[in-house]
């Protein structure tokens, strides 16, 4: 059939481009990682209702149907110029532009996907509730990603060529991978070869000792690497979902290693992986454990107070502990840092797809019935939020191309999830769905009503520019919710990519500005851009709030808290 050459550029779809089906660089691996924040699991009824309302509007549906008809005529005649987005690597094989059959197949798929995207955008523009829009977008993104022709052997010219070049061995290997995943991974392709890494040998290797252990936490004290350290110790509060060692990956990209090298005395909380027997663990349990870790660090170092740093949901737990200290006039914490932590959930984000009252009620009942939310359940939800990157990317490389799962440290961590006890999950849902943290007195933790405005310690707050889990302007709101002096730093990139970001990357950027005011966009417009990592301004802030230099200790622990075992401890490897 004839094709047309024309000077006008091809029309491209507006969907975000997925990652390379076979990540080959650390940057690509980082871009495909999600961190599990505690949310509800999707409800089929809620998703169906959102879809019915999206497609139940006759005018936009008729308009898109007519447009698809016109596109189909041009595609069949070879005159259509629609093409993939420049960064959509699913269609990079030359066959998608040179082979008439594959060209028409790809254009047909892109035309349908574009029509569905426009229907959602039109529904959003009509003034629909943004949570319903996100529900519809969640479903349609999953559907259109699943229907891509590149997900099938015959519909993927690169896979066909690979089968021919290997004499069919890639197909045999791919079938083996598929059967393995159906049996052992809930039917989803593996994202990483976890056997390539051992925690304590390859990951989490910064020298230190477990100096405290109870039923909930281990506290790790890291060995100093400088002749002198700051008197006031740092206590790090990681999220309770996921292992803490994303902050201590291999040497050279470890946040812990960096903090120790800057002369800080670093203590890390390592959460126990709960089982059904711990179903009643809630914010009282976790906030109390934070205060226990603070007391351990104080006793070991002889400092009357500490600084803290909370990551993601760990920052929410830390906040409830700070609120209790403020209410009881307890000054054990001198200053606190927040990294990609949301306290105010009024900001729009894809997580809103799971925030309707009916969904939250269902999630509460499910977690209460089972006693916990498993790591696999939570991981599956986040995989379907970005199916091109986190599902079909690996399906193509492993099931169709016959490749083995990639071996990247951050992917190994991402696959090493932890459970969430039912009571904590219920309270996180209250924070998420009812915005309970910012409503004075709506929650009570450690017997104290939560009033964020009474927290007056100095704070350092960071957000990430392209973070769609904890949007940066939502993170910025923390500077307005708490009453103490605050510093805000904006990092480039996404959620986890912004955290695993050591200095020295020439592509990394961050923004600093003056005292944060009410308007985050005004702050950003006046902010100064820097090359490097947010770790650097955080370290300067932490050193400023960590007291004088004192001789570094020659051993970890104390007479009251002697070393129990080397870092990274036992809880981090308990599955």
């Amino acid at each position: 059939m004839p094709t047309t050459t024309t000077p006008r550029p091809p029309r491209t779809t507006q969907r975000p481009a997925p990652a390379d089906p076979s990540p080959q660089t650390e940057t690509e691996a980082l871009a495909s990682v999600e961190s599990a924040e505690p949310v509800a699991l999707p409800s089929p009824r809620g998703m169906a209702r959102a879809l019915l309302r999206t497609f139940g509007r006759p005018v936009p549906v008729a308009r898109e149907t007519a447009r698809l008809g016109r596109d189909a005529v041009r595609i069949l005649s070879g005159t259509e110029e629609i093409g993939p987005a420049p960064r959509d690597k699913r269609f990079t094989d030359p066959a998608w532009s040179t082979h008439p059959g594959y060209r028409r197949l790809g254009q047909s798929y892109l035309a349908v996907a574009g029509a569905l995207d426009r229907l959602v955008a039109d529904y959003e523009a009509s003034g629909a509730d943004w949570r319903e829009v996100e529900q519809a977008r969640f479903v349609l993104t999953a559907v259109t990603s699943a229907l891509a022709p590149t997900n099938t052997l015959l519909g993927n010219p690169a896979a066909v060529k690979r089968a021919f070049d290997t004499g069919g061995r890639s197909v045999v290997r791919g079938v083996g991978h598929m059967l393995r995943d159906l049996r052992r991974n809930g039917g989803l392709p593996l994202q990483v070869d976890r056997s390539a890494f051992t925690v304590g040998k390859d990951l989490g290797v910064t020298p230190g000792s477990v100096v405290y252990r109870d039923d909930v936490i281990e506290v790790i004290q890291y060995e100093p690497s400088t002749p002198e350290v700051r008197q006031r110790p740092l206590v790090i509060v990681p999220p309770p979902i996921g292992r803490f060692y994303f902050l201590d990956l291999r040497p050279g990209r470890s946040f812990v290693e960096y903090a120790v090298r800057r002369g800080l005395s670093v203590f890390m909380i390592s959460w126990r992986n709960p089982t059904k027997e711990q179903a009643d663990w809630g914010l009282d349990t976790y906030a109390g454990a934070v205060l226990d870790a603070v007391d351990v660090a104080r006793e070991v170092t002889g400092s009357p107070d500490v600084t803290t740093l909370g990551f993601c949901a760990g920052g929410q737990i830390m906040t409830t502990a700070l609120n209790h200290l403020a209410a009881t006039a307890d000054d054990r914490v001198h200053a606190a840092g927040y990294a990609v932590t949301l306290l105010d959930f009024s900001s729009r984000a894809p997580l809103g797809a799971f925030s309707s009252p009916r969904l939250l009620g269902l999630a509460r009942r499910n977690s209460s019935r089972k006693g916990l939310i498993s790591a696999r359940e939570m991981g599956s939800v986040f995989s379907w939020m970005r199916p091109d990157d986190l599902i079909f990317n690996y399906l193509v490389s492993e099931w169709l191309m016959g490749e083995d799962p990639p071996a990247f440290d951050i992917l190994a961590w991402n696959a090493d999830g932890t459970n969430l006890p039912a009571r904590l999950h219920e309270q996180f849902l209250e924070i998420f769905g009812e915005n309970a943290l910012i409503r004075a007195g709506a929650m009570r933790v450690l017997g104290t009503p939560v009033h964020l405005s009474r927290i007056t310690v100095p704070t350092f707050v960071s957000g990430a520019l392209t973070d769609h889990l904890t949007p940066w302007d939502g993170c910025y709101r923390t500077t307005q919710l708490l009453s103490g002096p605050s510093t805000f730093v904006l990092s480039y990139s996404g959620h986890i990519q912004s955290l695993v970001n050591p200095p020295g990357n020439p592509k990394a950027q961050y923004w600093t500005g003056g005292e944060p005011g009410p308007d985050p966009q005004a702050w950003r417009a006046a902010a100064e851009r820097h090359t490097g990592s947010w770790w650097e301004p955080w370290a300067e802030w932490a050193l400023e709030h960590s007291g004088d230099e004192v001789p570094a200790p020659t051993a970890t622990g104390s007479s009251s808290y002697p070393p129990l075992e080397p870092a990274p401890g036992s809880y981090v490897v308990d599955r």
Side-chain angles (χ1 to χ4, degrees), residues 83-112:
R87 295 182 61 191
D88 190 342
K89 297 183 179 181
R90 295 174 298 178
F91 299 97
T92 55
D93 190 279
W96 291 110
S97 58
T98 60
H99 188 282
Y102 278 119
R103 183 171 187 265
R104 287 163 174 79
L105 176 63
Q107 288 182 332
S108 298
Y109 166 75
L110 293 171
V112 172

Side-chain angles (χ1 to χ4, degrees), residues 435-451:
N435 218 1
L437 275 182
I438 72 167
R439 295 189 293 113
M443 299 193 77
R444 181 180 292 267
V445 180
L446 297 176
T448 306
V450 176
H451 294 263

Side-chain angles (χ1 to χ4, degrees), residues 408-456:
F408 283 108
D409 52 7
I410 191 63
L411 293 179
W413 166 81
N414 194 52
D416 190 11
T418 56
N419 303 321
L420 196 67
R423 176 57 180 157
L424 183 62
H425 185 231
E426 179 183 1
Q427 291 175 304
F428 273 142
L429 290 174
E430 186 178 351
I431 292 171
F432 173 62
E434 302 173 18
N435 218 1
L437 275 182
I438 72 167
R439 295 189 293 113
M443 299 193 77
R444 181 180 292 267
V445 180
L446 297 176
T448 306
V450 176
H451 294 263
L452 298 186
S453 61
R454 64 183 167 202
I455 298 174
T456 60

